[in-house]
PDB file of all heavy atoms in Angstrom:
ATOM      1  N   LEU A  12       5.278   5.926 -21.067  1.00 95.00           N
ATOM      2  CA  LEU A  12       6.196   5.023 -20.357  1.00 95.00           C
ATOM      3  C   LEU A  12       7.307   4.485 -21.262  1.00 95.00           C
ATOM      4  O   LEU A  12       8.492   4.569 -20.930  1.00 95.00           O
ATOM      5  CB  LEU A  12       5.399   3.860 -19.738  1.00 95.00           C
ATOM      6  CG  LEU A  12       6.215   2.799 -19.014  1.00 95.00           C
ATOM      7  CD1 LEU A  12       6.939   3.364 -17.809  1.00 95.00           C
ATOM      8  CD2 LEU A  12       5.322   1.633 -18.551  1.00 95.00           C
ATOM      9  N   SER A  22      20.531   6.966 -22.316  1.00 96.00           N
ATOM     10  CA  SER A  22      21.511   7.868 -21.702  1.00 96.00           C
ATOM     11  C   SER A  22      22.676   7.073 -21.080  1.00 96.00           C
ATOM     12  O   SER A  22      23.635   7.654 -20.595  1.00 96.00           O
ATOM     13  CB  SER A  22      20.837   8.738 -20.641  1.00 96.00           C
ATOM     14  OG  SER A  22      20.568   7.956 -19.497  1.00 96.00           O
ATOM     15  N   ASP A  33       9.577  -9.162  -9.646  1.00 97.00           N
ATOM     16  CA  ASP A  33       9.166 -10.228  -8.738  1.00 97.00           C
ATOM     17  C   ASP A  33       8.079 -11.047  -9.440  1.00 97.00           C
ATOM     18  O   ASP A  33       7.679 -10.713 -10.564  1.00 97.00           O
ATOM     19  CB  ASP A  33       8.727  -9.686  -7.360  1.00 97.00           C
ATOM     20  CG  ASP A  33       7.466  -8.847  -7.417  1.00 97.00           C
ATOM     21  OD1 ASP A  33       6.600  -9.098  -8.287  1.00 97.00           O
ATOM     22  OD2 ASP A  33       7.325  -7.933  -6.585  1.00 97.00           O
ATOM     23  N   THR A  36       5.158  -8.727 -10.602  1.00 96.00           N
ATOM     24  CA  THR A  36       5.407  -7.702 -11.639  1.00 96.00           C
ATOM     25  C   THR A  36       5.880  -8.354 -12.947  1.00 96.00           C
ATOM     26  O   THR A  36       5.701  -7.782 -14.018  1.00 96.00           O
ATOM     27  CB  THR A  36       6.419  -6.629 -11.157  1.00 96.00           C
ATOM     28  OG1 THR A  36       7.631  -7.269 -10.747  1.00 96.00           O
ATOM     29  CG2 THR A  36       5.849  -5.832 -10.006  1.00 96.00           C
ATOM     30  N   GLY A  93       7.668  -3.100  -6.688  1.00 96.00           N
ATOM     31  CA  GLY A  93       7.413  -2.290  -5.496  1.00 96.00           C
ATOM     32  C   GLY A  93       8.708  -2.062  -4.727  1.00 96.00           C
ATOM     33  O   GLY A  93       9.808  -2.361  -5.211  1.00 96.00           O
ATOM     34  N   THR A  97      12.786  -2.588  -5.650  1.00 98.00           N
ATOM     35  CA  THR A  97      13.694  -1.447  -5.859  1.00 98.00           C
ATOM     36  C   THR A  97      14.755  -1.379  -4.752  1.00 98.00           C
ATOM     37  O   THR A  97      15.897  -1.039  -5.023  1.00 98.00           O
ATOM     38  CB  THR A  97      12.916  -0.112  -5.997  1.00 98.00           C
ATOM     39  OG1 THR A  97      12.125   0.113  -4.828  1.00 98.00           O
ATOM     40  CG2 THR A  97      12.018  -0.113  -7.225  1.00 98.00           C
ATOM     41  N   ALA A 103      21.679  -4.699  -4.824  1.00 98.00           N
ATOM     42  CA  ALA A 103      22.454  -5.613  -5.676  1.00 98.00           C
ATOM     43  C   ALA A 103      23.309  -4.785  -6.643  1.00 98.00           C
ATOM     44  O   ALA A 103      24.514  -5.050  -6.834  1.00 98.00           O
ATOM     45  CB  ALA A 103      21.512  -6.535  -6.456  1.00 98.00           C
ATOM     46  N   ASP A 125       8.136   6.898  -2.229  1.00 97.00           N
ATOM     47  CA  ASP A 125       9.140   6.771  -1.169  1.00 97.00           C
ATOM     48  C   ASP A 125      10.304   5.847  -1.537  1.00 97.00           C
ATOM     49  O   ASP A 125      11.397   6.316  -1.841  1.00 97.00           O
ATOM     50  CB  ASP A 125       8.472   6.310   0.137  1.00 97.00           C
ATOM     51  CG  ASP A 125       9.406   6.424   1.324  1.00 97.00           C
ATOM     52  OD1 ASP A 125      10.281   7.308   1.289  1.00 97.00           O
ATOM     53  OD2 ASP A 125       9.284   5.641   2.275  1.00 97.00           O
ATOM     54  N   SER A 150      19.945   5.930 -11.431  1.00 98.00           N
ATOM     55  CA  SER A 150      20.199   7.068 -12.343  1.00 98.00           C
ATOM     56  C   SER A 150      18.874   7.735 -12.689  1.00 98.00           C
ATOM     57  O   SER A 150      18.795   8.951 -12.790  1.00 98.00           O
ATOM     58  CB  SER A 150      20.904   6.587 -13.614  1.00 98.00           C
ATOM     59  OG  SER A 150      20.022   5.746 -14.352  1.00 98.00           O
ATOM     60  N   ASP A 163      -4.983  -2.653  -5.274  1.00 94.00           N
ATOM     61  CA  ASP A 163      -6.216  -2.574  -4.490  1.00 94.00           C
ATOM     62  C   ASP A 163      -6.146  -1.347  -3.559  1.00 94.00           C
ATOM     63  O   ASP A 163      -5.088  -0.731  -3.399  1.00 94.00           O
ATOM     64  CB  ASP A 163      -6.451  -3.876  -3.704  1.00 94.00           C
ATOM     65  CG  ASP A 163      -5.328  -4.180  -2.734  1.00 94.00           C
ATOM     66  OD1 ASP A 163      -4.524  -3.277  -2.447  1.00 94.00           O
ATOM     67  OD2 ASP A 163      -5.238  -5.326  -2.248  1.00 94.00           O
ATOM     68  N   MET A 174       2.542   9.891   1.514  1.00 98.00           N
ATOM     69  CA  MET A 174       2.216  11.190   0.908  1.00 98.00           C
ATOM     70  C   MET A 174       1.708  12.155   1.975  1.00 98.00           C
ATOM     71  O   MET A 174       2.043  13.337   1.968  1.00 98.00           O
ATOM     72  CB  MET A 174       1.172  11.007  -0.203  1.00 98.00           C
ATOM     73  CG  MET A 174       1.723  10.244  -1.384  1.00 98.00           C
ATOM     74  SD  MET A 174       0.467   9.767  -2.579  1.00 98.00           S
ATOM     75  CE  MET A 174      -0.119  11.323  -3.178  1.00 98.00           C
ATOM     76  N   SER A 182       3.848  21.743   4.166  1.00 98.00           N
ATOM     77  CA  SER A 182       3.125  22.999   4.399  1.00 98.00           C
ATOM     78  C   SER A 182       1.665  22.716   4.774  1.00 98.00           C
ATOM     79  O   SER A 182       1.146  21.624   4.537  1.00 98.00           O
ATOM     80  CB  SER A 182       3.129  23.863   3.139  1.00 98.00           C
ATOM     81  OG  SER A 182       2.327  23.244   2.155  1.00 98.00           O
ATOM     82  N   LEU A 206      -1.081  14.676  -7.229  1.00 97.00           N
ATOM     83  CA  LEU A 206      -0.591  14.657  -5.841  1.00 97.00           C
ATOM     84  C   LEU A 206       0.707  13.855  -5.730  1.00 97.00           C
ATOM     85  O   LEU A 206       1.591  14.206  -4.947  1.00 97.00           O
ATOM     86  CB  LEU A 206      -1.661  14.085  -4.903  1.00 97.00           C
ATOM     87  CG  LEU A 206      -2.955  14.904  -4.769  1.00 97.00           C
ATOM     88  CD1 LEU A 206      -3.968  14.167  -3.898  1.00 97.00           C
ATOM     89  CD2 LEU A 206      -2.672  16.289  -4.176  1.00 97.00           C
ATOM     90  N   GLY A 208       3.017  13.634  -8.040  1.00 96.00           N
ATOM     91  CA  GLY A 208       4.070  14.527  -8.554  1.00 96.00           C
ATOM     92  C   GLY A 208       4.548  15.480  -7.464  1.00 96.00           C
ATOM     93  O   GLY A 208       5.755  15.635  -7.236  1.00 96.00           O
ATOM     94  N   SER A 210       4.239  15.134  -4.229  1.00 98.00           N
ATOM     95  CA  SER A 210       4.823  14.390  -3.120  1.00 98.00           C
ATOM     96  C   SER A 210       6.276  14.003  -3.405  1.00 98.00           C
ATOM     97  O   SER A 210       7.161  14.152  -2.551  1.00 98.00           O
ATOM     98  CB  SER A 210       3.969  13.146  -2.896  1.00 98.00           C
ATOM     99  OG  SER A 210       4.176  12.631  -1.632  1.00 98.00           O
ATOM    100  N   LEU A 253       0.517  -3.743   6.256  1.00 93.00           N
ATOM    101  CA  LEU A 253       1.186  -2.960   5.210  1.00 93.00           C
ATOM    102  C   LEU A 253       1.942  -1.796   5.862  1.00 93.00           C
ATOM    103  O   LEU A 253       1.430  -1.165   6.796  1.00 93.00           O
ATOM    104  CB  LEU A 253       0.157  -2.430   4.211  1.00 93.00           C
ATOM    105  CG  LEU A 253      -0.503  -3.494   3.331  1.00 93.00           C
ATOM    106  CD1 LEU A 253      -1.671  -2.904   2.546  1.00 93.00           C
ATOM    107  CD2 LEU A 253       0.513  -4.102   2.372  1.00 93.00           C
ATOM    108  N   HIS A 254       3.135  -1.510   5.336  1.00 93.00           N
ATOM    109  CA  HIS A 254       4.006  -0.497   5.935  1.00 93.00           C
ATOM    110  C   HIS A 254       3.284   0.843   6.135  1.00 93.00           C
ATOM    111  O   HIS A 254       3.362   1.458   7.193  1.00 93.00           O
ATOM    112  CB  HIS A 254       5.248  -0.320   5.046  1.00 93.00           C
ATOM    113  CG  HIS A 254       6.142   0.796   5.472  1.00 93.00           C
ATOM    114  ND1 HIS A 254       6.881   0.748   6.631  1.00 93.00           N
ATOM    115  CD2 HIS A 254       6.401   2.016   4.918  1.00 93.00           C
ATOM    116  CE1 HIS A 254       7.571   1.876   6.763  1.00 93.00           C
ATOM    117  NE2 HIS A 254       7.285   2.671   5.736  1.00 93.00           N
ATOM    118  N   LEU A 271       2.079  17.799  22.253  1.00 98.00           N
ATOM    119  CA  LEU A 271       2.515  17.825  23.653  1.00 98.00           C
ATOM    120  C   LEU A 271       3.828  18.590  23.843  1.00 98.00           C
ATOM    121  O   LEU A 271       3.991  19.348  24.783  1.00 98.00           O
ATOM    122  CB  LEU A 271       2.706  16.362  24.090  1.00 98.00           C
ATOM    123  CG  LEU A 271       2.835  16.024  25.550  1.00 98.00           C
ATOM    124  CD1 LEU A 271       1.514  16.283  26.264  1.00 98.00           C
ATOM    125  CD2 LEU A 271       3.220  14.544  25.728  1.00 98.00           C
ATOM    126  N   ASN A 274       4.079  22.080  20.506  1.00 98.00           N
ATOM    127  CA  ASN A 274       2.935  22.982  20.260  1.00 98.00           C
ATOM    128  C   ASN A 274       2.254  22.825  18.913  1.00 98.00           C
ATOM    129  O   ASN A 274       1.753  23.804  18.348  1.00 98.00           O
ATOM    130  CB  ASN A 274       3.368  24.453  20.402  1.00 98.00           C
ATOM    131  CG  ASN A 274       3.716  24.770  21.817  1.00 98.00           C
ATOM    132  OD1 ASN A 274       3.073  24.264  22.735  1.00 98.00           O
ATOM    133  ND2 ASN A 274       4.754  25.562  21.995  1.00 98.00           N
ATOM    134  N   PRO A 276      -0.685  22.496  16.524  1.00 98.00           N
ATOM    135  CA  PRO A 276      -2.058  22.928  16.835  1.00 98.00           C
ATOM    136  C   PRO A 276      -3.036  21.764  17.009  1.00 98.00           C
ATOM    137  O   PRO A 276      -3.056  20.826  16.203  1.00 98.00           O
ATOM    138  CB  PRO A 276      -2.449  23.774  15.621  1.00 98.00           C
ATOM    139  CG  PRO A 276      -1.177  24.127  14.958  1.00 98.00           C
ATOM    140  CD  PRO A 276      -0.194  23.035  15.254  1.00 98.00           C
ATOM    141  N   ILE A 287      -7.240   9.743   9.271  1.00 97.00           N
ATOM    142  CA  ILE A 287      -6.561   8.434   9.381  1.00 97.00           C
ATOM    143  C   ILE A 287      -7.551   7.386   9.918  1.00 97.00           C
ATOM    144  O   ILE A 287      -7.638   6.271   9.386  1.00 97.00           O
ATOM    145  CB  ILE A 287      -5.288   8.558  10.262  1.00 97.00           C
ATOM    146  CG1 ILE A 287      -4.252   9.420   9.525  1.00 97.00           C
ATOM    147  CG2 ILE A 287      -4.711   7.183  10.598  1.00 97.00           C
ATOM    148  CD1 ILE A 287      -3.017   9.788  10.321  1.00 97.00           C
ATOM    149  N   PRO A 295      -5.153  -2.988  16.381  1.00 82.00           N
ATOM    150  CA  PRO A 295      -5.595  -3.384  17.718  1.00 82.00           C
ATOM    151  C   PRO A 295      -4.416  -3.666  18.656  1.00 82.00           C
ATOM    152  O   PRO A 295      -3.585  -4.498  18.373  1.00 82.00           O
ATOM    153  CB  PRO A 295      -6.396  -4.670  17.443  1.00 82.00           C
ATOM    154  CG  PRO A 295      -5.881  -5.171  16.138  1.00 82.00           C
ATOM    155  CD  PRO A 295      -5.211  -4.068  15.406  1.00 82.00           C
ATOM    156  N   LYS A 313      17.609   4.807  14.412  1.00 73.00           N
ATOM    157  CA  LYS A 313      17.774   6.261  14.404  1.00 73.00           C
ATOM    158  C   LYS A 313      18.108   6.820  15.800  1.00 73.00           C
ATOM    159  O   LYS A 313      18.425   7.983  15.931  1.00 73.00           O
ATOM    160  CB  LYS A 313      16.492   6.922  13.886  1.00 73.00           C
ATOM    161  CG  LYS A 313      16.179   6.512  12.444  1.00 73.00           C
ATOM    162  CD  LYS A 313      14.939   7.170  11.891  1.00 73.00           C
ATOM    163  CE  LYS A 313      13.646   6.773  12.567  1.00 73.00           C
ATOM    164  NZ  LYS A 313      13.222   5.366  12.380  1.00 73.00           N
ATOM    165  N   GLU A 327       4.191  22.968  13.537  1.00 98.00           N
ATOM    166  CA  GLU A 327       3.139  23.394  12.598  1.00 98.00           C
ATOM    167  C   GLU A 327       3.320  22.496  11.381  1.00 98.00           C
ATOM    168  O   GLU A 327       4.402  21.913  11.221  1.00 98.00           O
ATOM    169  CB  GLU A 327       3.403  24.839  12.158  1.00 98.00           C
ATOM    170  CG  GLU A 327       2.386  25.875  12.568  1.00 98.00           C
ATOM    171  CD  GLU A 327       0.956  25.588  12.126  1.00 98.00           C
ATOM    172  OE1 GLU A 327       0.735  24.699  11.274  1.00 98.00           O
ATOM    173  OE2 GLU A 327       0.053  26.226  12.662  1.00 98.00           O
ATOM    174  N   PHE A 343       3.980   6.674  26.358  1.00 97.00           N
ATOM    175  CA  PHE A 343       2.777   5.951  26.817  1.00 97.00           C
ATOM    176  C   PHE A 343       1.543   6.856  26.706  1.00 97.00           C
ATOM    177  O   PHE A 343       0.464   6.400  26.350  1.00 97.00           O
ATOM    178  CB  PHE A 343       2.960   5.464  28.261  1.00 97.00           C
ATOM    179  CG  PHE A 343       3.775   4.187  28.378  1.00 97.00           C
ATOM    180  CD1 PHE A 343       4.620   3.788  27.357  1.00 97.00           C
ATOM    181  CD2 PHE A 343       3.681   3.376  29.506  1.00 97.00           C
ATOM    182  CE1 PHE A 343       5.375   2.616  27.456  1.00 97.00           C
ATOM    183  CE2 PHE A 343       4.432   2.190  29.619  1.00 97.00           C
ATOM    184  CZ  PHE A 343       5.278   1.825  28.586  1.00 97.00           C
ATOM    185  N   CYS A 350      -5.363   5.125  21.660  1.00 95.00           N
ATOM    186  CA  CYS A 350      -6.455   4.212  22.031  1.00 95.00           C
ATOM    187  C   CYS A 350      -7.759   4.972  22.237  1.00 95.00           C
ATOM    188  O   CYS A 350      -8.823   4.498  21.830  1.00 95.00           O
ATOM    189  CB  CYS A 350      -6.097   3.441  23.304  1.00 95.00           C
ATOM    190  SG  CYS A 350      -4.742   2.285  23.038  1.00 95.00           S
TER     191      CYS A 350
END
Side-chain angles (χ1 to χ4, degrees):
L12 177 63
S22 74
D33 66 31
T36 56
T97 58
D125 191 29
S150 66
D163 60 15
M174 293 170 64
S182 69
L206 295 175
S210 200
L253 291 170
H254 174 69
L271 194 68
N274 292 323
I287 292 173
K313 298 181 294 293
E327 245 304 347
F343 280 20
C350 292

